[in-house]
mmCIF file of all heavy atoms in Angstrom:
data_model
loop_
_atom_site.group_PDB
_atom_site.id
_atom_site.type_symbol
_atom_site.label_atom_id
_atom_site.label_comp_id
_atom_site.label_asym_id
_atom_site.label_seq_id
_atom_site.Cartn_x
_atom_site.Cartn_y
_atom_site.Cartn_z
ATOM 1 N N LEU A 80 57.651 -171.547 57.738
ATOM 2 C CA LEU A 80 57.988 -172.029 59.086
ATOM 3 C C LEU A 80 57.217 -173.337 59.317
ATOM 4 O O LEU A 80 56.346 -173.704 58.507
ATOM 5 C CB LEU A 80 57.631 -170.962 60.137
ATOM 6 C CG LEU A 80 58.435 -169.686 59.968
ATOM 7 C CD1 LEU A 80 57.809 -168.560 60.857
ATOM 8 C CD2 LEU A 80 59.892 -169.882 60.308
ATOM 9 N N PRO A 81 57.572 -174.077 60.399
ATOM 10 C CA PRO A 81 56.771 -175.307 60.657
ATOM 11 C C PRO A 81 55.256 -175.096 60.664
ATOM 12 O O PRO A 81 54.797 -174.042 61.081
ATOM 13 C CB PRO A 81 57.279 -175.739 62.049
ATOM 14 C CG PRO A 81 58.648 -175.105 62.166
ATOM 15 C CD PRO A 81 58.556 -173.796 61.364
ATOM 16 N N PRO A 82 54.490 -176.084 60.132
ATOM 17 C CA PRO A 82 53.079 -175.918 60.041
ATOM 18 C C PRO A 82 52.305 -175.605 61.335
ATOM 19 O O PRO A 82 51.277 -175.050 61.299
ATOM 20 C CB PRO A 82 52.609 -177.248 59.475
ATOM 21 C CG PRO A 82 53.784 -178.033 59.155
ATOM 22 C CD PRO A 82 54.971 -177.364 59.704
ATOM 23 N N ALA A 83 52.891 -175.959 62.464
ATOM 24 C CA ALA A 83 52.178 -175.689 63.750
ATOM 25 C C ALA A 83 52.140 -174.173 64.015
ATOM 26 O O ALA A 83 51.293 -173.708 64.783
ATOM 27 C CB ALA A 83 52.964 -176.341 64.904
ATOM 28 N N ILE A 84 53.006 -173.405 63.371
ATOM 29 C CA ILE A 84 52.986 -171.965 63.537
ATOM 30 C C ILE A 84 52.041 -171.369 62.475
ATOM 31 O O ILE A 84 52.334 -171.440 61.276
ATOM 32 C CB ILE A 84 54.402 -171.360 63.393
ATOM 33 C CG1 ILE A 84 55.348 -171.987 64.403
ATOM 34 C CG2 ILE A 84 54.367 -169.838 63.486
ATOM 35 C CD1 ILE A 84 56.808 -171.665 64.217
ATOM 36 N N LYS A 85 50.907 -170.851 62.938
ATOM 37 C CA LYS A 85 49.890 -170.358 62.007
ATOM 38 C C LYS A 85 50.394 -169.106 61.247
ATOM 39 O O LYS A 85 50.190 -168.979 60.061
ATOM 40 C CB LYS A 85 48.610 -170.087 62.734
ATOM 41 C CG LYS A 85 47.937 -171.367 63.196
ATOM 42 C CD LYS A 85 46.543 -171.056 63.735
ATOM 43 C CE LYS A 85 45.704 -172.148 64.157
ATOM 44 N NZ LYS A 85 46.067 -173.451 64.392
ATOM 45 N N SER A 86 50.991 -168.137 61.987
ATOM 46 C CA SER A 86 51.516 -166.978 61.338
ATOM 47 C C SER A 86 52.566 -166.247 62.181
ATOM 48 O O SER A 86 52.533 -166.300 63.379
ATOM 49 C CB SER A 86 50.381 -165.944 61.018
ATOM 50 O OG SER A 86 49.836 -165.396 62.199
ATOM 51 N N VAL A 87 53.510 -165.619 61.459
ATOM 52 C CA VAL A 87 54.546 -164.757 62.058
ATOM 53 C C VAL A 87 54.647 -163.491 61.199
ATOM 54 O O VAL A 87 54.772 -163.641 59.957
ATOM 55 C CB VAL A 87 55.910 -165.443 62.189
ATOM 56 C CG1 VAL A 87 56.949 -164.515 62.721
ATOM 57 C CG2 VAL A 87 55.816 -166.688 63.051
ATOM 58 N N THR A 88 54.610 -162.361 61.833
ATOM 59 C CA THR A 88 54.870 -161.126 61.111
ATOM 60 C C THR A 88 55.941 -160.287 61.864
ATOM 61 O O THR A 88 56.037 -160.359 63.094
ATOM 62 C CB THR A 88 53.594 -160.249 60.987
ATOM 63 O OG1 THR A 88 53.075 -159.962 62.325
ATOM 64 C CG2 THR A 88 52.514 -160.944 60.148
ATOM 65 N N ASN A 89 56.696 -159.591 61.069
ATOM 66 C CA ASN A 89 57.620 -158.592 61.607
ATOM 67 C C ASN A 89 57.170 -157.203 61.113
ATOM 68 O O ASN A 89 56.828 -157.105 59.923
ATOM 69 C CB ASN A 89 59.048 -158.816 61.146
ATOM 70 C CG ASN A 89 59.873 -159.736 62.037
ATOM 71 O OD1 ASN A 89 59.379 -160.083 63.135
ATOM 72 N ND2 ASN A 89 61.043 -160.054 61.621
ATOM 73 N N THR A 90 57.170 -156.245 61.969
ATOM 74 C CA THR A 90 56.893 -154.841 61.522
ATOM 75 C C THR A 90 57.965 -153.980 62.060
ATOM 76 O O THR A 90 58.168 -153.857 63.292
ATOM 77 C CB THR A 90 55.468 -154.387 62.059
ATOM 78 O OG1 THR A 90 54.486 -155.317 61.617
ATOM 79 C CG2 THR A 90 55.167 -152.983 61.508
ATOM 80 N N TRP A 91 58.685 -153.292 61.128
ATOM 81 C CA TRP A 91 59.689 -152.324 61.491
ATOM 82 C C TRP A 91 59.027 -150.943 61.540
ATOM 83 O O TRP A 91 58.210 -150.595 60.719
ATOM 84 C CB TRP A 91 60.740 -152.265 60.345
ATOM 85 C CG TRP A 91 61.647 -153.469 60.322
ATOM 86 C CD1 TRP A 91 61.346 -154.668 59.720
ATOM 87 C CD2 TRP A 91 62.939 -153.564 60.819
ATOM 88 N NE1 TRP A 91 62.440 -155.509 59.855
ATOM 89 C CE2 TRP A 91 63.434 -154.884 60.521
ATOM 90 C CE3 TRP A 91 63.792 -152.701 61.510
ATOM 91 C CZ2 TRP A 91 64.676 -155.329 60.879
ATOM 92 C CZ3 TRP A 91 65.046 -153.176 61.854
ATOM 93 C CH2 TRP A 91 65.488 -154.437 61.537
ATOM 94 N N ARG A 92 59.366 -150.182 62.600
ATOM 95 C CA ARG A 92 58.857 -148.843 62.747
ATOM 96 C C ARG A 92 60.048 -147.907 62.960
ATOM 97 O O ARG A 92 60.931 -148.197 63.811
ATOM 98 C CB ARG A 92 57.907 -148.706 63.932
ATOM 99 C CG ARG A 92 56.731 -149.664 63.886
ATOM 100 C CD ARG A 92 55.416 -148.893 63.758
ATOM 101 N NE ARG A 92 54.306 -149.813 63.732
ATOM 102 C CZ ARG A 92 53.591 -150.062 62.617
ATOM 103 N NH1 ARG A 92 53.880 -149.474 61.550
ATOM 104 N NH2 ARG A 92 52.606 -150.926 62.672
ATOM 105 N N LEU A 93 60.077 -146.773 62.287
ATOM 106 C CA LEU A 93 61.111 -145.778 62.461
ATOM 107 C C LEU A 93 60.465 -144.465 62.943
ATOM 108 O O LEU A 93 59.399 -144.079 62.406
ATOM 109 C CB LEU A 93 61.820 -145.556 61.145
ATOM 110 C CG LEU A 93 62.464 -146.723 60.446
ATOM 111 C CD1 LEU A 93 63.091 -146.332 59.125
ATOM 112 C CD2 LEU A 93 63.477 -147.435 61.337
ATOM 113 N N ARG A 94 61.091 -143.824 63.861
ATOM 114 C CA ARG A 94 60.665 -142.500 64.279
ATOM 115 C C ARG A 94 61.865 -141.678 64.684
ATOM 116 O O ARG A 94 62.851 -142.223 65.227
ATOM 117 C CB ARG A 94 59.618 -142.553 65.377
ATOM 118 C CG ARG A 94 60.061 -143.052 66.694
ATOM 119 C CD ARG A 94 58.932 -142.932 67.710
ATOM 120 N NE ARG A 94 59.508 -142.936 69.025
ATOM 121 C CZ ARG A 94 59.460 -143.916 69.888
ATOM 122 N NH1 ARG A 94 58.855 -144.997 69.547
ATOM 123 N NH2 ARG A 94 60.015 -143.827 71.072
ATOM 124 N N PRO A 95 61.792 -140.383 64.468
ATOM 125 C CA PRO A 95 62.920 -139.544 64.860
ATOM 126 C C PRO A 95 63.084 -139.558 66.381
ATOM 127 O O PRO A 95 62.143 -139.705 67.148
ATOM 128 C CB PRO A 95 62.471 -138.086 64.426
ATOM 129 C CG PRO A 95 61.417 -138.310 63.436
ATOM 130 C CD PRO A 95 60.741 -139.648 63.804
ATOM 131 N N SER A 96 64.341 -139.493 66.787
ATOM 132 C CA SER A 96 64.659 -139.425 68.254
ATOM 133 C C SER A 96 65.733 -138.364 68.481
ATOM 134 O O SER A 96 66.236 -137.828 67.529
ATOM 135 C CB SER A 96 65.156 -140.810 68.706
ATOM 136 O OG SER A 96 66.441 -141.109 68.228
#
Side-chain angles (χ1 to χ4, degrees):
L80 297 169
I84 302 172
K85 290 189 179 12
S86 68
V87 175
T88 59
N89 270 355
T90 304
W91 289 81
R92 302 244 183 252
L93 304 178
R94 69 173 200 255
S96 70

